[in-house]
Amino acid sequence: MASKPRVKVPKSAAVGDVITIKTLINHKMESGQRKDKKTGEKIPQQIIDSFVATFNGTEVVNFTPAGAISANPFFEFTMKVPAAGDLHFVWKDQKGDVFETTKSIAIG
Amino acid sequence: MDLSRRHALALGGAAVTISLIPINLAQAAAHSGKTAEAIKMFAGDADVAEGGVELTAPEIAENGNTVPIAVSADGAASILIVADGNPLPDVITLNFGELAGSSSASTRIRLAGSQNVVAIAKMADGSFKSASAAVKVTIGGCGG
């Protein structure tokens, strides 16, 4: 089960700055390749297969992870700062669970 | 079977030689099977040129469960990463929106064994570029 995601975002930036964003979320990312030791059957895949970051509603990045992304998925990417506002992050997994967090960026 | 010392040394020598041959995209020529399918789903029948994409991966990964990679392709709208030696080649598709500062990202991936990691970038003009990195994995990581 995933716990609260952690994101690293600068608290403030100048308009036009390119900032680096890092995100980490606890999730087993069951790849679908592991075998149950008792039955020999493959354990079904259960991964985060969607990660979307938006700023004031406009898309920054949209990633579709597959089973080969390591457990506790880590993503680092960049954003152009157009104005002050809110960075919204959403992770979705194949079970239908949704994890979200928001960080504000001030101009200054 | 009785291995004479000379025979054993010759076999050992051959094994070392084979392991020194670098796994290389150029040598592998076209991708086969699932990897080719994954690339085709992303790029269709377009020509995929080499260059214009920076893919950073360690030459040697101690732990196949978590291999750090970084990819960057100026002007790319999206990038597909595949691993040609994994049971399923798809690793991730990275789509860059209007506010992305650059068409670049870093993450950590699972590699089942030594293989090539390939990045295919779809450029804004619809063309495709690629890069690949050969990674030696000492302990594979795709499951128990």
Side-chain angles (χ1 to χ4, degrees):
Chain A
M1 193 53 210
S3 61
K4 189 168 173 64
R6 290 177 359 228
V7 305
K8 188 166 178 189
V9 177
K11 290 203 172 74
S12 66
V15 171
D17 275 355
V18 171
I19 60 169
T20 297
I21 296 161
K22 296 183 189 186
T23 72
L24 182 66
I25 186 170
N26 280 4
H27 194 282
K28 203 164 181 201
M29 297 293 280
E30 190 63 73
S31 68
Q33 299 301 317
R34 281 197 326 141
K35 290 197 176 141
D36 183 320
K37 291 201 168 106
K38 287 182 212 140
T39 67
E41 300 287 312
K42 277 195 179 165
I43 300 167
Q45 192 181 69
Q46 209 298 81
I47 61 166
I48 287 173
D49 63 356
S50 168
F51 169 74
V52 181
T54 55
F55 185 76
N56 291 346
T58 302
E59 191 172 280
V60 181
V61 294
N62 181 330
F63 298 161
T64 308
I69 292 296
S70 302
N72 304 325
F74 167 78
F75 300 126
E76 180 175 330
F77 53 95
T78 64
M79 184 183 99
K80 280 187 294 243
V81 180
D86 290 331
L87 248 179
H88 188 57
F89 305 90
V90 184
W91 295 255
K92 292 185 183 164
D93 74 12
Q94 291 168 317
K95 222 173 63 178
D97 285 333
V98 180
F99 314 95
E100 309 183 59
T101 193
T102 304
K103 287 279 179 195
S104 299
I105 300 179
I107 299 297
Chain B
M1 161 178 134
D2 197 62
L3 273 183
S4 73
R5 193 167 131 80
R6 185 177 299 173
H7 190 205
L9 281 175
L11 279 179
V16 167
T17 310
I18 286 162
S19 72
L20 284 178
I21 294 171
I23 19 171
N24 183 296
L25 186 64
Q27 285 189 326
H31 295 284
S32 58
K34 290 185 185 138
T35 304
E37 266 173 52
I39 294 174
K40 184 161 186 173
M41 277 201 41
F42 182 71
D45 280 318
D47 281 323
V48 182
E50 259 198 73
V53 183
E54 252 179 64
L55 175 60
T56 310
E59 265 185 52
I60 300 176
E62 299 272 309
N63 180 357
N65 276 307
T66 172
V67 182
I69 64 162
V71 67
S72 179
D74 267 347
S78 51
I79 302 177
L80 169 72
I81 310 274
V82 293
D84 71 4
N86 274 356
L88 296 172
D90 274 286
V91 178
I92 192 168
T93 301
L94 308 161
N95 299 298
F96 302 100
E98 212 181 296
L99 287 181
S102 54
S103 300
S104 59
S106 304
T107 186
R108 298 188 293 234
I109 72 174
R110 293 168 166 146
L111 296 178
S114 301
Q115 61 188 288
N116 296 308
V117 178
V118 183
I120 314 270
K122 181 175 185 177
M123 311 309 289
D125 65 3
S127 65
F128 292 87
K129 297 188 176 162
S130 77
S132 81
V135 182
K136 279 199 188 63
V137 176
T138 52
I139 303 171
C142 229

